[in-house]
Amino acid sequence: MKTINASGIYYRDLNEIIKELVRSGEDIINLKNVNGQRYIGDNLSGTTKINIEGTPGNDMAAFMDGLTIEVFGNGQDAIGNTMNDGNIIIHGHAGDTVGYGMRGGSIYIKDSVGYRVGIHMKEYKDKVPVIVIGGSAGDFFGEYMAGGCMIVLNLKNDENIVGEYCGTGMHGGVIYLRGDVEDYKLGKEVIKEKIDDKDYAFIQKYVENFCQFFDYDFQKIMNHSFVKLHPIGKRPYGNMYA
Amino acid sequence: MSLSYLTPEFKVLRDYDKCINCKVCMRQCSFEVHSYDEHLDKMISNDMNCVNCQRCVVLCPTQALTIIKHPQTFKEHANWTYDAIRDIYRQAETGGVLLSSMGNDRPYPIYWDKMVINASQVTNPSIDPLREPMELRVYIGRKLDKIEVDENLNVKTKMPPQLKLETPIMFSAMSYGSISYNAHAALARAAEELGILYNTGEGGLHEDFRKYGKNTIVQVASGRFGVDREYLNTAAAIEIKIGQGAKPGIGGHLPGEKVSEDISATRMIPPGSDAISPAPHHDIYSIEDLAQLIYSLKEATDYQKPVGVKIAAVNNVAAIASGIARAGADYIAIDGFRGGTGAAPKRIRDNVGIPIEFAIAAVDARLRSEGIRHTVSLVAAGSIRNSADIVKAIALGADAVYIATAALIALGCHMCQKCHTGKCNWGIATQDPNLVKRLNPEIGYKRLVNLVQAWSHEIKEMLGGMGINDIESLKGNRLMLRGIGMTQKELDILGILAAGE
């Protein structure tokens, strides 16, 4: 275990230290006083756990392939950009474009997220990325979504569980919303359905993880209606061309 | 189903004195033009399906076949042309967006052909490249404001990462998916042999081609297909694709039927699902956001690899390029409106964007006026047809050029512009295994090597003629060009004088 006081360290220097430690197989890295340093965990692989106190900057865990990053604070934009594997736990809210093009691993966010979250998430073989959000999400949630699973729990009962243009261009994957969403907010490529026992079983382990990370009561969360959004087909624009 | 008003575009002429009913044409044509009529005991053709790819013409052992433009015409009309009328028929039948392939085929002026190159006479004697050293090597990447040397004149300053090219030519981005495995194999191997680079496009990197890593540029585009640790770590450079000359402002779309098992593995998406690249990167809405992705990729590769940005040539290209340079890109690839594509909406291909000649001149002038030209390399793309186009592009300010259409023609493309059908009879723009095997990468790579070597030699001849022995001395050297038949405004934008001035 290594502890680093990140206060006042330039992001490039901080990342160099982190990379060195991860590559040498350090099991736990504690980062204190992180204040906006970008690209933490970028393109790293391994089994290291990074604990972050403070607010990490944009593109945290971009291209990451393994590792667990737990943030005791809020996250900024583009967390898990094109991430391939690993786990991220945010004890707060996160900004825009979380999980852009994400292919694997999981991201758990205690509170809400910004715009354009989960755009072009995809899945491949055993890789099925998951994002679980305790609060609500902004516009363009799951746009172009091609695979994976996103769950929005709306535990603070925001008026808008998701923003507008939800699932526009969606052609794979599935979104679960605890509560309901107005049809006008949904992309025309999306079907909304009530969830069945199979869906409950599917989301159970993710919600259990969420409850364990953030100390919520599982039964209380699940004792609520959910809807599921999934795409009409894998080929939304199949008949557009002459 | 209503009656189709479309008539054949081409006509197959078969010389029955020569035809021996061998059926080669029938077996070769993926568009099913040719068939054998048992009753008549002769080969017949369905002109309606012919795209004039000339596979049958070339393969016919007795040269019995000729394809001609179908003589059927409409009443002559300068405004309602053949294409204008037929496009309406097609759209009225299908309700679809017209798809097309390869580059803009409309008769816009070709400014390369309005520029001529200088040569030395009497003073500053010309140089014979056969007998004197001639340097075509270029380095793509950010150059520093200054370098420091120690007392032994060894360079102390650490240079930013550079790509070394033995000749100022690279193979432009074409994805595995848009072109075949064998086409990629030929490009990768030729790049290695030539000491240049090829570009994967946004289709991932097939595991068989990882061995060519030091000659590979990988693309990170809006769909992020195939982008993972190994992809980034294997490449010599990373290119963020913002736009493409054939379709500025719109994304890409590989239809599900082309996403085979192999393509699926390379792109890392399930087989049969559409591979949709959104029009913008949804994490890039500003120059600052672009800088974030550039540095994310630099951070991901420990600042060891150049990170470039590819854009389409559009109205404000000079200002955009300035922003990209300031965002930290190591090179900017600019793709003119005649650049090729495996599929683009026809109206966009034919109407959006500006010629590369103007774009490269405008960008070079802008970056020089801002004093930042050295901080970024410029790669010109979008229909480089021969070595003279390259000399002109470099004299207008490019560091190197990208070629793609020319490379495909070297591999056998006959410019039928039907890549989007996936039925390429030449084995290039197809994933049909029976068609792909027609392109022999062993022969293909040699043809590419031949082409680039021949062009390189011609560039040396032209340089020598100008009395220049290093391609770097041609860069932005607009005094080596003169314009013919252009307006003063056009000459001003290109930054060149008229012939005779």
Side-chain angles (χ1 to χ4, degrees):
Chain A
M1 180 156 61
K2 276 267 157 47
T3 300
I4 299 159
N5 182 358
S7 178
I9 303 184
Y10 188 50
Y11 79 87
R12 228 173 125 167
D13 301 327
L14 178 64
N15 285 324
E16 211 157 298
I17 298 167
I18 296 169
K19 282 179 192 175
E20 196 97 330
L21 289 170
V22 170
R23 284 168 191 166
S24 67
E26 188 62 56
D27 56 347
I28 297 171
I29 303 171
N30 296 314
L31 302 177
K32 310 270 186 196
N33 302 312
V34 172
N35 188 13
Q37 284 97 335
R38 291 183 171 185
Y39 315 122
I40 293 172
D42 187 352
N43 198 27
L44 292 180
S45 69
T47 53
T48 307
K49 165 97 191 286
I50 301 179
N51 296 312
I52 297 177
E53 285 176 26
T55 308
N58 293 352
D59 263 340
M60 185 184 85
F63 312 104
M64 194 169 81
D65 192 19
L67 275 69
T68 298
I69 300 182
E70 189 158 4
V71 179
F72 298 93
N74 297 319
Q76 291 194 339
D77 293 343
I79 294 167
N81 178 358
T82 324
M83 176 170 148
N84 199 55
D85 204 357
N87 302 291
I88 297 172
I89 301 152
I90 312 271
H91 291 264
H93 56 72
D96 297 340
T97 62
V98 175
Y100 185 105
M102 180 181 174
R103 189 186 304 112
S106 64
I107 302 177
Y108 291 86
I109 295 158
K110 185 180 178 190
D111 297 327
S112 295
V113 292
Y115 293 137
R116 292 176 269 136
V117 168
I119 288 190
H120 220 307
M121 254 172 100
K122 44 181 75 77
E123 62 188 56
Y124 178 59
K125 292 192 173 164
D126 57 332
K127 294 212 172 298
V128 181
V130 177
I131 299 178
V132 185
I133 296 155
S136 58
D139 293 350
F140 303 102
F141 187 69
E143 194 182 19
Y144 293 105
M145 191 169 169
C149 168
M150 293 205 285
I151 302 169
V152 186
L153 298 174
N154 196 18
L155 297 174
K156 291 187 178 159
N157 295 315
D158 281 351
E159 191 180 336
N160 293 303
I161 181 165
V162 291
E164 295 190 27
Y165 309 102
C166 176
T168 316
M170 187 173 176
H171 54 292
V174 58
I175 295 173
Y176 293 96
L177 304 177
R178 183 172 165 275
D180 201 355
V181 58
E182 302 91 321
D183 288 345
Y184 80 89
K185 287 183 174 172
L186 301 178
K188 60 184 183 302
E189 299 82 5
V190 172
I191 297 173
K192 184 175 84 176
E193 281 175 1
K194 285 251 172 293
I195 70 168
D196 58 24
D197 291 347
K198 250 164 72 183
D199 293 308
Y200 270 110
F202 179 75
I203 62 173
Q204 182 171 342
K205 66 175 170 186
Y206 302 120
V207 177
E208 273 174 3
N209 288 342
F210 181 89
C211 292
Q212 191 198 323
F213 295 145
F214 305 123
D215 200 17
Y216 279 100
D217 186 312
F218 173 75
Q219 287 307 334
K220 242 181 181 167
I221 289 178
M222 293 305 284
N223 196 9
H224 198 282
S225 69
F226 279 79
V227 293
K228 152 170 129 169
L229 308 176
H230 64 94
I232 289 170
K234 288 201 286 187
R235 310 271 331 263
Y237 309 117
N239 297 316
M240 215 178 105
Y241 299 103
Chain B
M1 186 75 189
S2 67
L3 175 71
S4 173
Y5 300 154
L6 292 164
T7 56
E9 202 177 348
F10 301 100
K11 188 174 176 66
V12 180
L13 302 182
R14 191 183 310 271
D15 185 340
Y16 281 106
D17 288 342
K18 287 183 172 176
C19 179
I20 54 172
N21 288 350
C22 69
K23 299 179 188 162
V24 164
C25 52
M26 188 173 102
R27 285 193 293 271
Q28 289 293 326
C29 185
S30 63
F31 294 93
E32 299 178 338
V33 170
H34 308 279
S35 56
Y36 173 66
D37 187 313
E38 273 182 34
H39 183 64
L40 298 171
D41 184 30
K42 64 179 190 178
M43 299 300 299
I44 55 171
S45 24
N46 177 4
D47 292 344
M48 201 68 210
N49 290 353
C50 181
V51 300
N52 194 18
C53 75
Q54 300 181 18
R55 178 77 185 178
C56 59
V57 177
V58 173
L59 274 270
C60 175
T62 62
Q63 288 88 49
L65 292 167
T66 310
I67 312 288
I68 59 165
K69 186 169 166 51
H70 203 288
Q72 182 61 52
T73 59
F74 295 101
K75 181 168 169 18
E76 216 160 278
H77 197 302
N79 183 41
W80 288 102
T81 59
Y82 179 85
D83 283 345
I85 295 170
R86 287 171 61 93
D87 284 349
I88 288 180
Y89 288 158
R90 194 180 300 279
Q91 292 193 291
E93 274 174 29
T94 61
V97 170
L98 294 171
L99 267 191
S100 62
S101 309
M102 300 314 282
N104 189 334
D105 64 4
R106 300 287 87 198
Y108 291 98
I110 298 165
Y111 288 90
W112 299 130
D113 296 340
K114 292 167 179 265
M115 285 183 272
V116 287
I117 298 165
N118 193 30
S120 299
Q121 298 293 290
V122 184
T123 60
N124 184 24
S126 47
I127 299 166
D128 182 349
L130 292 179
R131 271 165 285 279
E132 294 184 59
M134 184 68 72
E135 181 78 62
L136 291 192
R137 182 180 293 166
V138 293
Y139 290 90
I140 300 296
R142 169 173 293 253
K143 310 297 186 293
L144 299 170
D145 296 340
K146 59 174 184 184
I147 55 168
E148 289 177 17
V149 293
D150 62 18
E151 58 274 16
N152 299 319
L153 299 181
N154 294 317
V155 177
K156 285 198 299 191
T157 316
K158 194 174 175 300
M159 282 295 287
Q162 308 283 325
L163 295 176
K164 181 166 130 184
L165 306 180
E166 294 302 336
T167 190
I169 301 169
M170 298 189 284
F171 297 127
S172 195
M174 291 178 278
S175 69
Y176 176 42
S178 74
I179 59 171
S180 65
Y181 176 94
N182 283 356
H184 254 226
L187 287 164
R189 197 166 158 195
E192 183 182 50
E193 177 135 336
L194 289 161
I196 61 170
L197 288 96
Y198 85 110
N199 188 316
T200 61
E202 193 192 16
L205 178 60
H206 196 284
E207 58 179 351
D208 294 355
F209 303 142
R210 287 186 191 145
K211 63 183 174 193
Y212 300 109
K214 67 180 179 8
N215 299 95
T216 306
I217 298 176
V218 295
Q219 262 192 352
V220 172
S222 60
R224 302 284 204 271
F225 296 115
V227 180
D228 67 358
R229 255 176 78 72
E230 196 171 0
Y231 182 77
L232 299 177
N233 293 348
T234 304
I238 300 163
E239 183 173 284
I240 298 169
K241 182 196 178 183
I242 300 290
Q244 180 178 344
K247 41 182 172 179
I250 69 164
H253 181 189
L254 187 72
E257 62 257 25
K258 289 194 190 175
V259 181
S260 62
E261 282 293 337
D262 210 28
I263 300 279
S264 134
T266 306
R267 297 203 176 212
M268 301 181 203
I269 52 170
S273 88
D274 277 11
I276 298 171
S277 298
H281 290 244
H282 281 281
D283 56 344
I284 301 177
Y285 285 12
S286 66
I287 290 292
E288 290 75 14
D289 288 349
L290 176 65
Q292 181 179 314
L293 184 59
I294 289 171
Y295 278 90
S296 193
L297 290 165
K298 289 189 178 194
E299 191 68 48
T301 50
D302 294 336
Y303 300 86
Q304 299 295 311
K305 299 177 184 191
V307 176
V309 176
K310 178 179 176 177
I311 53 167
V314 292
N315 295 7
N316 295 317
V317 67
I320 296 161
S322 168
I324 295 171
R326 291 169 193 282
D330 294 281
Y331 73 87
I332 307 172
I334 305 170
D335 197 12
F337 81 150
R338 270 186 240 100
T341 173
K346 181 174 174 174
R347 295 295 169 237
I348 288 176
R349 184 195 74 168
D350 292 352
N351 295 283
V352 181
I354 67 169
I356 185 60
E357 299 92 319
F358 288 128
I360 203 77
V363 169
D364 177 66
R366 173 73 176 251
L367 298 183
R368 278 190 289 121
S369 76
E370 294 181 2
I372 56 171
R373 176 64 183 84
H374 64 287
T375 66
V376 69
S377 291
L378 295 179
V379 182
S383 199
I384 300 288
R385 303 159 302 165
N386 54 51
S387 58
D389 290 354
I390 298 173
V391 168
K392 292 168 190 177
I394 291 173
L396 289 175
D399 290 87
V401 301
Y402 260 145
I403 64 167
T405 301
L408 297 190
I409 293 173
L411 290 174
C413 166
H414 277 59
M415 201 46 79
C416 73
Q417 306 182 32
K418 288 288 182 288
C419 315
H420 56 281
T421 63
K423 293 182 181 178
C424 176
N425 274 319
W426 295 94
I428 300 167
T430 180
Q431 302 307 323
D432 177 338
N434 290 320
L435 299 176
V436 171
K437 69 183 179 199
R438 294 178 182 182
L439 177 65
N440 182 337
E442 197 70 30
I443 296 169
Y445 107 86
K446 282 182 190 148
R447 293 178 65 92
L448 291 167
V449 169
N450 283 344
L451 178 77
V452 173
Q453 282 178 344
W455 284 10
S456 300
H457 187 70
E458 289 174 341
I459 293 169
K460 287 181 180 179
E461 295 273 9
M462 281 182 266
L463 280 180
M466 288 181 264
I468 293 173
N469 61 5
D470 179 2
I471 192 84
E472 291 284 349
S473 304
L474 179 67
K475 187 167 54 176
N477 189 346
R478 298 171 194 217
L479 288 171
M480 292 299 127
L481 299 176
R482 288 293 187 274
I484 293 178
M486 280 192 259
T487 64
Q488 188 57 50
K489 186 77 182 172
E490 289 166 334
L491 291 167
D492 290 346
I493 293 166
L494 293 169
I496 63 173
L497 298 171
E501 278 192 281

